[in-house]
Amino acid sequence: MPAASLAPHEDERLKALRAYGILDTGPEQAFEDIVSLLAEAFEAPIALVNLIESDRAWFKASVGTSGMTGSSREVSFCAHSIASGRDQLVVPDATTDARFADNPLVTGEPQLRFYAGHVLRTPEGHALGALCVHDIKARPDGITPLQSRMLEVLAGQVMAQFELRRAVKEREEGVKALAESESKFRAIADSMPQMVWSTLPDGFHDYYNARWYEFTGVPPGSTDGEGWNGMFHPEDQERAWARWQHSLQTGELYEIEYRLRRHDGVYRWTLGRAQPIRDEHGSITRWFGTCTDIDDLKRMEQGKELLSQELSHRIKNIFAVVSALIALSAREHPEARAFASAVRNRINALARAHEFVRPHSEVSKPTVGDTTLHTFLGALFRAYADGDGRPRVRIEGEDATFDDQAATSVALLFHELATNAAKYGALSAPGGHVLLRTRKAGDRFVLTWTEVGGPEVSEIPARTGFGTSLATLSVEGQLGGRLERQWLPGGLVVEADLPATALSRRRAALKST
């Protein structure tokens, strides 16, 4: 007897068969009804739902097999059926068919003669076995179109039952996997020091970890929905609610600091953060968030801020004391009055720079505006305005972030330039003025000081004074830049070419990353 050849992609076929989880399962009425109906319709003694494994044929349901649950694959008619590549196989007389004439089931009991089977094929095209009928009498005329159609329809019903089983199996496995995943998530969330929470896409809070209930002391479920907002300090509730609504509407990261009521009634500063989870279409399916107790950290920061303000205030007072001491010394030594005045002016310039960039409280904060280069220089040059309060040093160009990293050096540079301009240059003449242009040039920042309308420059100064040396030291020594002077007939032009990172620690940090 020639053995049935293996079906194409046999490994994939067997994998598909086992995925249904139906092999070696008990009897089920749905399949028993199908084979009973098939046997009755064909007036045949044997009907099978026959699944072909790697080395056997196994009957999920059968009529007329005397309790047999299967056979070897070698003798199975259905094995030939799935190997044929066709949906139906009909054998009118097995004794005249070379494939089955020597089959033990034909030559011996039950002496099979007739076979008609329809392949049980998955939606992916894999043949799992066949729904079939056998007779011990030959049927030379084969089967009628109606019988062929019945085989097809009932085979479809068998596959529908298989698909239902697979869907139920996959759903059960999915539910089990989800339960395991949720159990792991809860275990991880409950072990975290932060309070963890989750909401539906519309913002309805439906989960809090154990840490939340431990911290707040509220009964489980009492803060579901919108009840969480009542846990915040009354002064923070409106602000926190508005920020949360904004995140829900825009999908933006939720981040806010607020005071959260602890179980003992004490409000502690907390950092709240939440991130949306999106599906493959970009729609938000859930929000996951945390609350982190930052009260101790915030108190430390406030203490450091108060200490910094106090130190800066004392430095300001030191500037004032030094300036006063210089003034008193000048009275005792009139011959040093000019020198004392110059030194005092430089001290005052440093004091103004320090006042601009030092840490402030809300009360001591200067009113010159944001900490940018232009606002700093505007404050520095205010003393040189004309009688109507109009600035005589005009600032144009690109602004830059500015902090105490460069404040002292920039203050000394432009104090010296403005002082010399007031004594000898453009600011010494009634109609004279200075144009200060600032611009970014790649990774450089260039400041150009141009004096206009002052006394005509007839020659380059032969001597370099202390102020000039101080200005050069400020730019080239402290800021790592270059300083160039041009003594043009119309007035002095000074260009300070600085690294862009010299003006701000923040800019330097961003550059390094």
Side-chain angles (χ1 to χ4, degrees), residues 356-401:
F356 187 83
V357 298
R358 76 179 178 90
H360 285 275
S361 65
E362 289 298 320
V363 176
S364 69
K365 186 182 297 183
T367 58
V368 294
D370 295 333
T371 308
T372 67
L373 179 63
H374 283 196
T375 52
F376 175 77
L377 292 175
L380 190 66
F381 296 141
R382 193 170 296 151
Y384 299 95
D386 63 18
D388 296 324
R390 291 188 296 267
R392 297 185 67 189
V393 180
R394 304 166 189 173
I395 306 171
E396 296 179 356
E398 298 173 275
D399 206 349
T401 305

Side-chain angles (χ1 to χ4, degrees), residues 296-312 359-360:
D296 293 339
L297 178 62
K298 202 167 185 69
R299 293 180 188 279
M300 288 175 59
E301 289 178 348
Q302 290 172 347
K304 288 171 60 179
E305 184 177 350
L306 288 173
L307 179 60
S308 179
Q309 290 175 8
E310 178 62 23
L311 289 174
S312 295
H360 285 275

Side-chain angles (χ1 to χ4, degrees), residues 157-197:
Q157 289 301 309
V158 172
M159 284 307 304
Q161 290 295 321
F162 283 2
E163 289 297 325
L164 179 61
R165 283 182 62 93
R166 181 163 71 170
V168 171
K169 180 173 178 285
E170 289 177 350
R171 185 177 183 277
E172 289 175 347
E173 290 175 349
V175 170
K176 182 180 178 181
L178 182 62
E180 291 178 355
S181 177
E182 183 172 348
S183 177
K184 291 177 181 177
F185 166 76
R186 289 179 179 274
I188 293 172
D190 286 343
S191 67
M192 292 177 64
Q194 288 89 0
M195 293 164 266
V196 179
W197 49 270

Side-chain angles (χ1 to χ4, degrees), residues 11 38 41 154 162 175 218 278 306 311 340 388 403 449 454 473 490:
D11 290 341
L38 185 62
L154 291 179
F162 283 2
V175 170
V218 299
R278 300 179 184 271
L306 288 173
L311 289 174
D388 296 324
D403 61 25
W449 171 280
L473 177 64

